Amino acid sequence: MADVPHLSSDEFRLRGRELIDWIADYWEALEHLPVASDVEPGDIRSLLPRSAPDEPESFSSILNDLDQIIVPGLVHWQSPRFFGYFPANASPAAVLGELASAGLGVLGMMWSTSPAATELESVVLDWLIELLDLPVAWRSDGPGGGVIQMSASDATHTALVVARHTHGGSPTDMVAYASSEAHSSVEKGVRVAGIGRFRRVPVGRNQGMDTGHLAAMVADDIEAGRIPVAVVSTIGTTGTAAFDPLDDVAEVATRYGMWQHVDAAYAGSAMICPEFRRFQHGLELVDSYTFNPHKWMLTNFDCSAFYVADRRLLLDTLSVTPPYLRNAASESGTVVDYRDWHVPLGRRFRALKLWFVLRSYGAEGIRTHIRNSVRMAAGLAERVESDPRFDLVAPTHLSLVCFAHVAGNEATDALASALNASGRALITPSELGGRRFLRVAIGQPRTEPRHVDELWDLIDTLAPAI
Ligand code: PLP
């Protein structure tokens, strides 16, 4: 048999060390790199060969092209000057966990295909219940349970599919609701689930869902012969990190027999600090919940936790067992088979990186990271508030600062463009009720107060006078 040109073990060791050095060097260089790439569409493609190589290439030439071709075309999400979207924390501990998972290469689709992958996942998700003060009924030894999915979008889509399946009736008559500030993944999930209608509920003061409106919309839909099946509430909206009143939403959901799913993609990580838990009041009343350790909990993408209050409904919806997946452990009913908890069959060993993070930082280390981000955001919000050129467009409860230039949308957009073009910061412009504003999301592991000071100096210099 001909030889396949695998790297030998010795070469793998050598190249692996080189690559870890390369990543550490990249992280150290990050603060000096322009945060966003300035390449034009097609620039990167034009530097790459049209066809894959026929013959093996050396690892050093691959690494060289990583430097020369790929890095110039990146937005540096791990830069301490990255304040866009929401953070996507790739901490050193998580990256090592990811590497271990890749090296093991196991697929934990069922308990029997790697018992440790399944049991570790259940354990770290139970740990998170305690760390974030989530309802104990969601623990793996209660009626509920948790699973790691790829993204909050997948988790929300899954919840909506379960809501549709569980409810019965014609999907085209079904209606799902979320606030006007809910993430676009909810609307996409309604389509994925085949639910006939999606209705956006107006928000009240501070951008939280107006539950009086919700109740009226649901009553109207019932009157019109439709079937309300689900409502998605948000803890920490994408636009302004606003909070829906979970217990009031739950009251309406219970009254009309709707599934209540909670999307806490960004803000969920903050609940490791007791002082923020007032924002998740009412969680014990909901049916399912998701948050992203891959945003603000020092765990690199992808890692989204999804919990259900009653796992039987999830399993009834998604469990399909062909003969080749039957095994004694599954049939004994004593094990968890995570393939039944989401759409794909194959699944990565994502619990490993979360386990590395939780152990390497400890709860206190993660709390410090969250509190540092919140403190830096509060400092920036204070500066913005005391400058007559700006209005805060939403309160800064956590680490998202939202503000507009008082001169109007043009001045706000000009400031956003100038900041992003400077290469010294990346922020995301957005819009609320027709008013343009700047979103500054703080929470990169490498962001220090001096980076926020420099951001403020830039804002101060680039903002038009009034
Ligand atoms: N929900 C909210 C509130 C978000 O802010 C985001 C992304 O920023 C998402 C959902 C989507 O997250 P994911 O990329 O994990 O699907």
Side-chain angles (χ1 to χ4, degrees):
M1 221 164 55
D3 277 348
V4 179
H6 298 299
L7 294 183
S8 68
S9 287
D10 281 347
E11 207 172 10
F12 177 72
R13 284 194 180 89
L14 190 71
R15 299 310 179 189
R17 288 187 188 113
E18 255 176 51
L19 187 62
I20 294 286
D21 281 343
W22 184 92
I23 296 172
D25 290 346
Y26 170 72
W27 284 341
E28 282 173 10
L30 266 178
E31 79 169 305
H32 308 294
L33 299 176
V35 192
S37 167
D38 60 0
V39 298
E40 297 294 329
D43 280 359
I44 303 300
R45 192 187 177 97
S46 71
L47 300 173
L48 296 165
R50 286 180 69 86
S51 309
D54 247 347
E55 297 300 322
E57 295 189 42
S58 73
F59 199 79
S60 49
S61 76
I62 301 173
L63 213 54
N64 187 51
D65 286 351
L66 191 57
D67 269 322
Q68 303 302 319
I69 303 176
I70 303 301
V71 171
L74 297 178
V75 170
H76 301 296
W77 281 69
Q78 303 311 316
S79 165
R81 303 175 198 286
F82 182 95
F83 303 107
Y85 309 100
F86 278 131
N89 292 179
S91 70
V95 170
L96 293 176
E98 184 77 276
L99 186 60
S101 167
L104 293 171
V106 302
L107 267 68
M109 54 220 200
M110 298 183 290
W111 179 89
S112 61
T113 61
S114 260
T118 296
E119 295 192 12
L120 182 68
E121 186 158 331
S122 301
V123 167
V124 292
L125 289 167
D126 284 349
W127 284 1
L128 285 177
I129 287 184
E130 196 175 329
L131 288 175
L132 307 176
D133 199 22
L134 302 176
V136 287
W138 299 358
R139 283 179 53 90
S140 55
D141 52 7
V147 60
I148 300 179
Q149 298 217 0
M150 180 176 69
S151 68
S153 303
D154 291 88
T156 298
H157 300 175
T158 307
L160 289 165
V161 170
V162 179
R164 187 212 60 208
H165 183 84
T166 305
H167 215 282
S170 161
T172 47
D173 294 334
M174 293 181 178
V175 195
Y177 308 81
S179 93
S180 56
E181 288 298 303
H183 190 263
S184 56
S185 55
V186 181
E187 184 163 354
K188 196 187 268 192
V190 169
R191 294 190 206 172
V192 169
I195 292 171
R197 279 188 177 73
F198 175 55
R199 300 193 63 186
R200 286 207 178 258
V201 184
V203 290
R205 227 168 50 83
N206 288 340
Q207 314 308 318
M209 186 190 288
D210 178 335
T211 50
H213 250 103
L214 170 68
M217 288 165 88
V218 172
D220 279 355
D221 281 326
I222 291 175
E223 182 77 24
R226 300 186 193 113
I227 314 169
V229 291
V231 55
V232 177
S233 17
T234 310
I235 302 181
T237 58
T238 314
T240 64
F243 305 95
D244 288 338
L246 295 190
D247 31 15
D248 293 348
V249 178
E251 196 275 310
V252 180
T254 310
R255 196 185 327 153
Y256 293 106
M258 291 188 289
W259 185 280
Q260 186 182 359
H261 174 66
V262 174
D263 173 4
Y266 151 70
S269 298
M271 306 307 155
I272 197 163
C273 304
E275 65 270 29
F276 302 123
R277 290 184 191 154
R278 64 187 185 281
F279 297 123
Q280 66 176 11
H281 190 253
L283 263 190
E284 66 290 349
L285 303 168
V286 313
D287 299 291
S288 56
Y289 170 86
T290 187
F291 90 101
N292 286 346
H294 70 225
K295 280 189 161 58
W296 199 12
M297 199 181 263
L298 299 165
T299 309
N300 63 301
F301 191 89
D302 53 345
C303 185
S304 190
F306 176 55
Y307 291 95
V308 286
D310 181 351
R311 63 177 171 270
R312 284 171 317 170
L313 303 176
L314 175 63
L315 301 184
D316 281 355
T317 307
L318 294 185
S319 187
V320 179
T321 305
Y324 47 83
L325 294 181
R326 286 208 187 110
N327 65 85
S330 298
E331 272 153 36
S332 75
T334 57
V335 300
V336 172
D337 287 333
Y338 277 127
R339 71 181 179 88
D340 295 332
W341 291 60
H342 53 43
V343 173
L345 172 63
R347 60 197 319 272
R348 294 166 5 83
F349 192 176
R350 286 177 288 227
L352 208 51
K353 61 186 171 188
L354 190 52
W355 190 50
F356 273 41
V357 166
L358 295 174
R359 296 185 62 187
S360 168
Y361 285 90
E364 270 310 308
I366 299 171
R367 284 188 195 107
T368 303
H369 168 58
I370 298 283
R371 287 182 178 133
N372 285 349
S373 313
V374 172
R375 207 165 288 134
M376 287 187 277
L380 179 66
E382 251 175 51
R383 286 159 148 170
V384 167
E385 205 169 16
S386 59
D387 189 312
R389 289 171 296 176
F390 305 120
D391 278 342
L392 279 177
V393 301
T396 308
H397 295 298
L398 296 173
S399 69
L400 182 68
V401 185
C402 301
F403 64 99
H405 197 289
V406 292
N409 287 351
E410 219 173 283
T412 299
D413 279 341
L415 174 58
S417 304
L419 281 170
N420 288 343
S422 75
R424 305 296 293 160
L426 191 143
I427 58 97
T428 311
S430 189
E431 192 171 312
L432 188 65
R435 187 169 194 199
R436 303 285 297 162
F437 69 97
L438 283 77
R439 281 173 82 266
V440 176
I442 298 179
Q444 274 309 327
R446 291 170 196 84
T447 301
E448 296 171 23
R450 68 192 169 86
H451 299 112
V452 180
D453 290 345
E454 285 174 34
L455 172 66
W456 172 250
D457 291 344
L458 263 180
I459 293 171
D460 187 29
T461 311
L462 296 172
I466 42 170

